[in-house]
Amino acid sequence: MPLRAWQRRALTKYLTAKPRDFLAVATPGAGKTTFGLRIAAELLADRTVEAVTVVAPTEHLKHQWAQAAQRVGIALDSNFSNTTGATSSDFDGVVLTYAQVAAHPARHRVRTENRRTLVILDEVHHAGDAKSWGDAIREAFDDAARRLALTGTPFRSDDSPIPFVTYEPEPGGGARSKADHTYGYADALADGVVRPVVFMAYSGQASWRTSAGEEYTARLGEPLSAEQTARAWRTALDSHGDWIPAVLRAAHTRLIQLRASGVHDAGGLVIATDQTVAREYAELLSEISGTPVTLVLSDDPGSSKRIAAFSDSEDMWMVAVRMVSEGVDVPRLSVGVYATSAATPLYFAQAIGRFVRSRRPGETASVFLPSVPVLLDLASQLEAERDHVLGKPHRDSGLDDAALIEANKTEDEDGEDEPAFQSLHADAELDQVIFDGSSFGTATYAGSEEESDYLGLPGLLDADQVRELLSRRQAEQLTKRAAAPATNPRDGAPEGRGAAAALQSLRKELNSLVALHHHRTGKAHGMVHRELRERLGGPPTAMATAEQLTERIQALREWR
């Protein structure tokens, strides 16, 4: 297969030095798999090694590696079983998961000792996910003839050292990982290897009620405590509120625009927090788009086939939890909705990596996300190169997954699975557009003409054209605002504010009655909403008309 410039440089460096260990860091979408397989082909051809073992994070990626290897004439068994412990001599090697190695490291050590083996550790930071995993990787592959570590995100959010990675001391303590070859997002963007990513950050007012009955309202993205930020964020992501449907509509509008402007097969991906909300988002998107939505759940054995089918089709939307956050290759993904509360730099980088793969010059990607400070900071630093740093003083600050989990902990003494607060309402505003570390635009209500100006950006633009067009849009927006200072940026929404306020009030009343019904019967909120729809018909709450909401409220008042 033809190599890109960075792959040729890295290959030359590798073949010249002939190292036992080599760490190649390349931004998602740059072609790490192609590079790894070229190294394998070279070492097999000159008999430096007799076999290849690839270790990948997931079952889906195992099969993806085997398919890619087959295209270059290397036969890898991705169905290798620890129980059997052997494979056909027709294969040049096997593909395993990190969990598979950790389950039986001694067996893989014997395999590695018996034949001169090249071990390719894909997304090697996973080897530090648990102490047992790291120990198992060291035990299994300590005697490998060659080890090639690959990653698009060479850092972790903790102090777990990554096996076979070199760490160099830093002034003041700690140690930093050292890559043998690095190809960052900024370099790949300049070379046209990856797409420019435009972030659409949405804010809005969020309201919730605590378990003590107190109601709070805060603007998503404003300086808040960790607990308030977590609850405003979670309220925005509530499928029964207004924020997520508004953002999904905007994302769908953007996807349609991309398809109309030359990217006819552009696809969209929503990354959800858990399986329950993933199903609800898929239902919302199906209503919004009028098309079937592919739902990918990590514990479903058919997920890999669904991802592959979506990749090969021209379907519009896929909703997933974490299964497609890393490594999965769906090059036509052009629009993303980051609808999860995961906040670590590692997870964010892996998720955004699903949208950056370039197929032809000019394609851009758009990612919609909550206007939360930690996410805005990560979006503005997309081009920053990171290493894995051991030592707490060097850890990136900001809200992390642990803080979110702590803030959202259940506090019920009787053990009921009920959150410590109840989401009431959140509206959506396009807060800002982030590109190349810069912010463009000023807050505008979802559904306004000003929002449409940004959603309607042409689909085929290079990085300089994106920057120029965003600057022009912002200048036009500010000029228009200056000419009519009394104009409410929310004006121009498809519904009048009176109608919107009435819908918000009805949704709030319905959600309150659902909460009361939950306390009386123990039924989960989502189940109550579903029963109402089954009895009365109509779309999800966020898309229901005032008449449908009134009917559900009346029905719920009569339930016992």
Side-chain angles (χ1 to χ4, degrees), residues 110-380:
V110 171
R111 290 184 54 258
T112 305
E113 289 175 339
N114 287 342
R115 302 176 72 188
R116 295 192 308 277
T117 302
L118 164 67
V119 178
I120 299 177
L121 300 167
D122 184 29
E123 303 297 354
V124 69
H125 51 271
H126 281 284
D129 276 351
K131 186 177 186 300
S132 60
W133 283 27
D135 292 345
I137 294 296
R138 288 188 181 89
E139 179 182 348
F141 305 123
D142 188 57
D143 290 330
R146 295 284 183 92
R147 290 181 292 259
L148 173 63
L150 305 173
T151 180
T153 45
F155 58 92
R156 295 180 55 81
S157 302
D158 58 25
D159 286 319
S160 299
I162 303 169
F164 308 124
V165 168
T166 300
Y167 290 86
E168 295 183 335
E170 284 206 313
R176 180 178 294 271
S177 62
K178 179 181 181 297
D180 296 286
H181 190 86
T182 300
Y183 187 63
Y185 177 80
D187 294 330
L189 188 61
D191 292 344
V193 171
V194 295
R195 296 170 177 155
V197 180
V198 177
F199 291 96
M200 306 282 190
Y202 278 74
S203 181
Q205 291 291 117
S207 301
W208 64 90
R209 182 185 294 120
T210 68
S211 56
E214 298 176 329
E215 292 191 10
Y216 291 86
T217 298
R219 181 175 171 80
L220 192 68
E222 288 186 345
L224 302 169
S225 67
E227 179 180 331
Q228 288 177 318
T229 296
R231 293 183 175 183
W233 191 343
R234 182 168 157 182
T235 298
L237 297 180
D238 183 359
S239 61
H240 300 293
D242 290 343
W243 190 94
I244 194 70
V247 172
L248 291 177
R249 287 190 195 96
H252 183 63
T253 299
R254 179 65 184 147
L255 185 60
I256 291 173
Q257 171 62 32
L258 286 175
R259 289 187 165 212
S261 62
V263 191
H264 71 277
D265 64 342
L269 167 66
V270 179
I271 300 177
T273 298
D274 59 47
Q275 296 189 11
T276 299
V277 295
R279 291 187 177 93
E280 292 169 348
Y281 291 168
E283 192 173 7
L284 277 172
L285 265 177
S286 182
E287 295 275 359
I288 291 168
S289 67
T291 63
V293 174
T294 299
L295 181 62
V296 177
L297 304 176
S298 55
D299 63 353
D300 189 331
S303 292
S304 291
K305 291 182 179 178
R306 273 197 289 280
I307 293 173
F310 179 83
S311 181
D312 294 336
S313 74
E314 291 193 3
D315 292 349
M316 301 187 80
W317 283 102
M318 176 164 61
V319 178
V321 186
R322 290 185 176 237
M323 188 169 180
V324 292
S325 66
E326 179 182 50
V328 173
D329 185 14
V330 185
R332 67 187 189 87
L333 286 177
S334 303
V335 176
V337 181
Y338 191 87
T340 174
S341 56
T344 56
L346 177 61
Y347 185 76
F348 185 83
Q350 292 168 356
I352 303 308
R354 301 314 98 219
F355 306 97
V356 302
R357 186 178 300 275
S358 179
R359 299 182 297 175
R360 56 175 168 163
E363 284 191 347
T364 61
S366 301
V367 176
F368 294 71
L369 74 168
S371 188
V372 179
V374 63
L375 295 185
L376 299 181
D377 184 53
L378 292 172
S380 66

Side-chain angles (χ1 to χ4, degrees), residues 83-102:
T83 304
T84 306
T87 188
S88 169
S89 59
D90 291 338
F91 286 106
D92 298 304
V94 300
V95 191
L96 314 167
T97 63
Y98 286 97
Q100 199 172 349
V101 176

Side-chain angles (χ1 to χ4, degrees), residues 529-548:
H529 281 287
R530 281 194 294 275
E531 287 184 2
L532 282 169
R533 291 181 56 204
E534 289 172 359
R535 294 192 185 191
L536 303 174
T541 303
M543 303 178 67
T545 64
E547 182 180 353
Q548 290 167 329

